[in-house]
Amino acid sequence: MTLSFSLLGPVRAWRHGAEVPLGSPQQRTTLAVLLLREGLLTTIDELVDAIWPVDPPDSAVATIRTYLSRLRRLLCGPARVPGGPPAVVEVRIDWIGGGYVLTAPPGSLDVHLFHRHCARGAEAISRGDHTTAATELRSALDLHRGTPLAGAAGGYVEGQRARLTELSRGAALDLVAVTVELGRHAEAIAELRALVTEEPLRERGHALLMTALYRSGRQADALAQYRHLHRYLADELGVEPTPGLQNLHQSILLGDPDAGRTAALFPASTH
């Protein structure tokens, strides 16, 4: 493949394995917006709003067009493999009906690959193939190289950064749930300790940690984790744990061998 793009970390591009210099943060933001909307029309106004959400300069439209001209030269011209014949780069940035459409070759954008691996992981979970699910979810998470869209800015980018971060966290929880199902409890517990410390209000993480502790023979620790969460929610928000967590706690308290089975570990959206 001639070109590849990364948005699950700093905004970057490579041609034949060599990094392409993408220019200023604003120019990187222009590329990031077009890549996130790959195949869809993006108007000049939308690009201006993405880069300058407040008080755009009078030269905003002309500046955007300059960025796009530079990106075309960087990404859309002929390229040569060292020692090989010229090749045509598959990326296109076309002006169509009042806006720009970027078209990239299949498999060149890490966000698309992330979604593909997650979808395959979800399919494997639905058929009970947790080994394959773990492989696919690990491949998805390995694509993340830091904060998504680092080096780009603006309101649109901030929203997309939050979305991609949330998708990553969901995939991480799915992977830990699969790890629990595979019986790798010590590995899951270590990962979940970090996750619930980072996001103490994400109750699914606590449910998975309670389940992993219980299945590894640590019933008392699983119950202690619930008490810790109960106190935290009461002190911070003045609320009780969700009914699902209360039911899991009751099942663990009673020594139910089916406590935290797959239906509790994987939300309906995963299936």
Side-chain angles (χ1 to χ4, degrees):
M1 181 179 298
T2 304
L3 275 168
S4 60
F5 300 96
S6 172
L7 300 180
L8 298 175
V11 178
R12 302 171 74 185
W14 292 267
R15 176 184 286 120
H16 302 306
E19 187 162 3
V20 178
L22 295 178
S24 68
Q26 292 84 359
Q27 188 165 296
R28 288 174 184 267
T29 301
T30 302
L31 176 62
V33 172
L34 292 175
L35 285 170
L36 288 165
R37 296 177 54 79
E38 195 266 335
L40 302 175
L41 186 142
T42 304
T43 68
I44 281 281
D45 287 344
E46 287 172 328
L47 287 169
V48 170
D49 287 342
I51 297 172
W52 299 283
V54 179
D55 296 329
D58 294 338
S59 61
V61 171
T63 301
I64 289 288
R65 288 176 175 154
T66 298
Y67 294 154
L68 290 165
S69 177
R70 291 173 181 167
L71 288 170
R72 281 197 180 105
R73 288 197 300 271
L74 283 169
L75 305 173
C76 303
R80 179 187 292 272
V81 179
V88 176
V89 178
E90 305 96 322
V91 172
R92 296 175 58 89
I93 301 176
D94 296 311
W95 172 262
I96 301 175
Y100 292 91
V101 178
L102 183 147
T103 305
S108 62
L109 182 57
D110 61 353
V111 172
H112 292 173
L113 295 174
F114 173 82
H115 287 304
R116 185 183 306 170
H117 285 302
C118 286
R120 290 174 179 170
E123 290 172 2
I125 289 170
S126 69
R127 62 176 183 267
D129 184 357
H130 296 115
T131 299
T132 298
T135 299
E136 293 292 346
L137 290 167
R138 173 50 60 197
S139 295
L141 291 168
D142 284 346
L143 292 167
H144 283 258
R145 299 178 177 90
T147 302
L149 300 168
Y156 178 80
V157 166
E158 291 296 332
Q160 291 297 310
R161 180 177 294 123
R163 181 181 71 86
L164 293 172
T165 299
E166 183 63 24
L167 289 172
S168 173
R169 289 169 177 167
L173 283 171
D174 284 345
L175 178 57
V176 175
V178 166
T179 304
V180 173
E181 286 296 300
L182 290 171
R184 304 204 302 261
H185 299 127
E187 177 184 343
I189 290 167
E191 181 69 20
L192 286 162
R193 293 284 192 200
L195 287 172
V196 299
T197 298
E198 181 181 353
E199 296 189 277
L201 295 178
R202 192 178 289 267
E203 292 197 7
R204 186 183 174 206
H206 291 279
L208 285 166
L209 179 54
M210 290 167 60
T211 301
L213 288 166
Y214 179 64
R215 291 194 194 176
S216 63
R218 298 168 60 181
Q219 181 186 32
D221 289 338
L223 295 172
Q225 180 63 32
Y226 179 83
R227 291 194 298 271
H228 169 76
L229 174 62
H230 190 283
R231 287 194 301 270
Y232 182 86
L233 292 175
D235 293 343
E236 295 295 322
L237 301 176
V239 299
E240 295 283 324
T242 61
L245 264 176
Q246 294 181 39
N247 291 337
L248 175 60
H249 170 252
Q250 188 67 18
S251 296
I252 292 173
L253 188 63
L254 295 175
D256 183 351
D258 293 325
R261 283 296 149 197
T262 302
L265 297 187
F266 299 103
S269 60
T270 303
H271 301 281

